Amino acid sequence: VPVLLFVAAPYIRRYVAGGRCKSTARLDGKVVIITGANTGIGKATARDLAQRGKCSARVIIACRDIAKAEAAASEIRAETGNQQVIVKKLDLADTKSIREFAEKFLSEEKELHVLINNAGVMLCPYSKTADGFEMHLGVNHLGHFLLTFLLLECLKQSAPARIINVSSLAHHGGRIRFHDLHGEKCYNRGLAYCHSKLANVLFTRELARRLQGKFQRQVGFTANALHPGSVSSDLVRHSFLMTWLWKIFSFFLKTPCEGAQTTIYCAVAEELDSVTGQYFSDCQPAYVSPRGRDDETAKKLWSVSCELLGIQWD
């Protein structure tokens, strides 16, 4: 058995690694925002996008922890030679911080070509954001919903532009529980994560539909979602059991670089210039759960999200 495992190891790793983005597209002069890019697949994505083109892209790492983000940015600048990898403060658990980030960005930058809503929390003990939203819903969905809303006009004016929402296979286990969105009646942190990832898929679907209707003449203005795979990262830090399992089975998990491939694919692949409202995994279209294809739920979630955030997004 040990001999067989040794022989099979390279093939197992190749299978676990999944699809790889083969695009050599350049991002000369483009402006990119990646939330939560101080670690994991966000950092790997930032590193890849930072080195595409002679006239490097301006990659903005938007994070809550400035010290960790600066360390990551410094490392990426050294590795890629791109000195336009910069850090901006963004706490997705606080709408005031989101608004301040957007206001500062819009005052300093003229364009935005790629918005990657990557940051997220997983398996948190019950807690609420600064605005009283359940943490998974507030950070993973509502925070990115508001950020996209605030930056949409800039994206529109910069088109072709892409909005990319990092979801998860876990959306298959999710439901949008409108009667108890903030888990005050019943809370399970595993299911709360699944619910928030389903919200990512539904948000992407409804956003794409609205963009097509309102800006149908706008070439290359797209929104897509993706599943990065099971990745060895600190996303499971809130669960001792999951952290332990992740260490034991790390051989069967993607590395952050491997996990970032589908995000990179959605950000740069030329064949996706006019593809919108889709869900990808391993750099190819993937199956969406029936709940993730429910247009009525998507519309209702959009309306409820606007109400919770106090915005009008028609």
Side-chain angles (χ1 to χ4, degrees), residues 204-254:
T204 304
R205 187 177 183 87
E206 180 63 9
L207 176 60
R209 185 188 72 80
R210 288 170 177 257
L211 292 181
Q212 282 186 305
K214 193 170 184 180
F215 308 122
Q216 53 188 342
R217 295 180 183 176
Q218 195 85 42
V219 178
F221 193 12
T222 64
N224 290 298
L226 66 101
H227 166 56
S230 297
V231 182
S232 179
S233 72
D234 64 353
L235 187 61
V236 296
R237 62 187 178 277
H238 292 292
S239 169
F240 173 79
L241 176 61
M242 289 295 289
T243 300
W244 182 69
L245 290 173
W246 247 228
K247 288 181 179 179
I248 292 177
F249 296 105
S250 60
F251 182 77
F252 300 98
L253 299 174
K254 290 184 178 184

Side-chain angles (χ1 to χ4, degrees), residues 112-115 148-164 204 207-224 266 272-278 302 313:
L112 175 59
H113 304 94
V114 182
L115 171 62
T148 305
F149 166 75
L150 295 171
L151 299 177
L152 189 70
E153 190 62 28
C154 186
L155 284 157
K156 175 190 171 186
Q157 297 299 329
S158 307
R162 301 185 184 191
I163 299 167
I164 299 153
T204 304
L207 176 60
R209 185 188 72 80
R210 288 170 177 257
L211 292 181
Q212 282 186 305
K214 193 170 184 180
F215 308 122
Q216 53 188 342
R217 295 180 183 176
Q218 195 85 42
V219 178
F221 193 12
T222 64
N224 290 298
C266 289
L272 300 186
D273 281 345
S274 59
V275 175
T276 190
Q278 300 301 306
W302 184 285
W313 191 355

Side-chain angles (χ1 to χ4, degrees), residues 170-192:
H171 85 271
H172 285 268
R175 292 181 62 188
I176 306 301
R177 304 170 69 247
F178 291 108
H179 66 286
D180 189 24
L181 273 178
H182 304 296
E184 294 169 326
K185 297 177 182 177
C186 178
Y187 181 74
N188 176 290
R189 56 185 180 173
L191 289 178

Side-chain angles (χ1 to χ4, degrees), residues 51-72:
Q51 59 190 1
R52 286 180 176 263
K54 292 182 179 179
C55 179
S56 303
R58 186 169 174 81
V59 178
I60 297 171
I61 294 177
C63 295
R64 177 176 56 86
D65 191 323
I66 294 296
K68 289 183 179 179
E70 288 288 3

Side-chain angles (χ1 to χ4, degrees), residues 35-36 39 64 90-94 117-129 133-144 166-168 170 187 189-197 200 233-239:
T35 66
T39 188
R64 177 176 56 86
L90 173 65
D91 183 354
L92 288 161
D94 186 347
N117 291 319
N118 164 82
V121 295
M122 181 180 182
L123 303 176
C124 298
Y126 188 77
S127 57
K128 290 188 175 182
T129 68
F133 308 139
E134 187 277 315
M135 191 61 70
H136 292 90
L137 181 76
V139 171
N140 297 353
H141 169 59
L142 292 172
H144 284 128
V166 178
S167 181
S168 170
Y187 181 74
R189 56 185 180 173
L191 289 178
Y193 176 73
C194 294
H195 301 334
S196 70
K197 293 292 100 179
N200 292 154
S233 72
D234 64 353
L235 187 61
V236 296
R237 62 187 178 277
H238 292 292
S239 169

